[in-house]
Amino acid sequence: SVLAEARAAAARVLRRARQRDWLGGAMAGRALAGLAAQAGDADALARHLHLADQAAALRQSPHEAASNHLLRARLALRRDDCAETERQLDAAMAGFERLRMDWHLAQAAALRACA
Protein backbone atom coordinates (compact mmCIF):
# COMPACT_ATOMS: atom_id res chain seq x y z
CA SER A 1 0.00 0.00 0.00
CA VAL A 2 1.01 3.63 -0.41
CA LEU A 3 0.91 4.10 3.35
CA ALA A 4 3.29 1.19 3.93
CA GLU A 5 5.65 2.49 1.25
CA ALA A 6 5.63 5.97 2.80
CA ARG A 7 6.41 4.58 6.23
CA ALA A 8 9.23 2.43 4.84
CA ALA A 9 10.75 5.42 3.03
CA ALA A 10 10.54 7.52 6.18
CA ALA A 11 12.17 4.73 8.19
CA ARG A 12 15.12 4.71 5.78
CA VAL A 13 15.53 8.46 6.18
CA LEU A 14 15.39 8.15 9.96
CA ARG A 15 18.08 5.45 9.92
CA ARG A 16 20.32 7.82 7.94
CA ALA A 17 19.49 10.63 10.37
CA ARG A 18 20.78 8.52 13.25
CA GLN A 19 24.09 8.52 11.39
CA ARG A 20 23.92 12.33 11.16
CA ASP A 21 22.78 12.38 7.53
CA TRP A 22 19.79 14.70 7.79
CA LEU A 23 19.08 14.98 4.06
CA GLY A 24 15.38 14.25 3.68
CA GLY A 25 14.78 14.32 7.43
CA ALA A 26 12.51 17.35 7.41
CA MET A 27 10.49 16.00 4.49
CA ALA A 28 10.14 12.61 6.19
CA GLY A 29 9.05 14.32 9.39
CA ARG A 30 6.42 16.31 7.50
CA ALA A 31 5.16 13.21 5.69
CA LEU A 32 4.88 11.28 8.94
CA ALA A 33 3.24 14.26 10.63
CA GLY A 34 0.62 14.35 7.89
CA LEU A 35 -0.11 10.67 8.40
CA ALA A 36 -0.30 11.15 12.18
CA ALA A 37 -2.71 14.05 11.73
CA GLN A 38 -4.95 11.94 9.50
CA ALA A 39 -4.90 9.18 12.11
CA GLY A 40 -5.67 11.65 14.90
CA ASP A 41 -2.48 10.70 16.78
CA ALA A 42 -1.49 13.96 18.51
CA ASP A 43 1.59 12.46 20.20
CA ALA A 44 3.01 11.14 16.92
CA LEU A 45 2.13 14.41 15.20
CA ALA A 46 4.13 16.39 17.77
CA ARG A 47 7.09 13.96 17.51
CA HIS A 48 7.20 14.14 13.73
CA LEU A 49 6.87 17.92 13.62
CA HIS A 50 9.76 18.09 16.09
CA LEU A 51 11.80 15.81 13.81
CA ALA A 52 11.05 18.08 10.84
CA ASP A 53 12.11 21.16 12.82
CA GLN A 54 15.24 19.46 14.11
CA ALA A 55 16.29 18.37 10.62
CA ALA A 56 15.68 21.86 9.21
CA ALA A 57 17.73 23.42 12.01
CA LEU A 58 20.59 20.93 11.78
CA ARG A 59 20.80 21.42 8.02
CA GLN A 60 20.39 25.18 8.51
CA SER A 61 17.79 25.05 5.75
CA PRO A 62 15.45 28.03 5.46
CA HIS A 63 13.53 26.16 2.74
CA GLU A 64 12.79 23.26 5.07
CA ALA A 65 11.86 25.64 7.90
CA ALA A 66 9.41 27.48 5.62
CA SER A 67 7.99 24.16 4.44
CA ASN A 68 7.47 23.14 8.07
CA HIS A 69 5.52 26.37 8.64
CA LEU A 70 3.43 25.64 5.56
CA LEU A 71 2.53 22.19 6.87
CA ARG A 72 1.60 23.67 10.24
CA ALA A 73 -0.62 26.18 8.42
CA ARG A 74 -2.37 23.36 6.58
CA LEU A 75 -2.90 21.46 9.82
CA ALA A 76 -4.22 24.57 11.61
CA LEU A 77 -6.61 25.24 8.73
CA ARG A 78 -8.02 21.71 9.08
CA ARG A 79 -8.65 22.47 12.76
CA ASP A 80 -10.34 25.78 11.82
CA ASP A 81 -7.69 27.62 13.87
CA CYS A 82 -7.61 30.83 11.83
CA ALA A 83 -5.10 32.68 14.02
CA GLU A 84 -2.58 29.83 13.89
CA THR A 85 -3.15 29.36 10.17
CA GLU A 86 -2.37 33.03 9.54
CA ARG A 87 0.67 33.01 11.83
CA GLN A 88 2.16 29.93 10.13
CA LEU A 89 1.34 31.24 6.65
CA ASP A 90 3.06 34.54 7.45
CA ALA A 91 6.23 32.67 8.48
CA ALA A 92 6.10 30.31 5.49
CA MET A 93 5.49 33.08 2.96
CA ALA A 94 8.25 35.26 4.42
CA GLY A 95 10.68 32.35 4.07
CA PHE A 96 9.65 31.48 0.54
CA GLU A 97 9.73 35.13 -0.49
CA ARG A 98 13.27 35.58 0.89
CA LEU A 99 14.36 32.48 -1.02
CA ARG A 100 12.53 33.60 -4.19
CA MET A 101 10.70 30.27 -4.29
CA ASP A 102 7.75 31.45 -6.34
CA TRP A 103 5.98 28.10 -6.71
CA HIS A 104 6.11 27.50 -2.96
CA LEU A 105 5.02 31.07 -2.30
CA ALA A 106 2.03 30.57 -4.60
CA GLN A 107 1.09 27.38 -2.74
CA ALA A 108 1.09 29.29 0.55
CA ALA A 109 -0.82 32.21 -0.97
CA ALA A 110 -3.47 29.82 -2.32
CA LEU A 111 -3.88 28.37 1.15
CA ARG A 112 -4.38 31.88 2.54
CA ALA A 113 -7.14 32.41 -0.03
CA CYS A 114 -8.93 29.39 1.44
CA ALA A 115 -8.36 30.43 5.05
Side-chain angles (χ1 to χ4, degrees):
S1 78
V2 172
L3 182 59
E5 289 176 30
R7 286 190 173 136
R12 287 190 297 275
V13 169
L14 295 175
R15 279 193 297 277
R16 286 196 319 271
R18 285 188 205 107
Q19 298 168 350
R20 294 196 167 89
D21 176 1
W22 286 94
L23 186 62
M27 187 180 296
R30 288 191 300 272
L32 290 170
L35 293 173
Q38 287 178 351
D41 187 341
D43 291 337
L45 174 61
R47 269 193 325 274
H48 298 312
L49 288 173
H50 176 74
L51 168 67
D53 290 337
Q54 183 181 22
L58 287 169
R59 293 194 62 229
Q60 298 180 349
S61 173
H63 165 247
E64 297 293 7
S67 295
N68 292 349
H69 285 295
L70 183 56
L71 173 62
R72 282 187 168 88
R74 287 183 172 125
L75 295 172
L77 184 60
R78 285 187 206 156
R79 295 189 314 268
D80 291 322
D81 185 341
C82 294
E84 182 65 8
T85 300
E86 291 296 320
R87 190 174 78 77
Q88 295 295 337
L89 281 174
D90 287 346
M93 291 178 74
F96 293 138
E97 196 165 20
R98 269 191 309 277
L99 295 166
R100 301 180 199 272
M101 298 184 83
D102 295 335
W103 183 87
H104 292 77
L105 186 59
Q107 293 296 304
L111 191 59
R112 188 182 299 278
C114 294

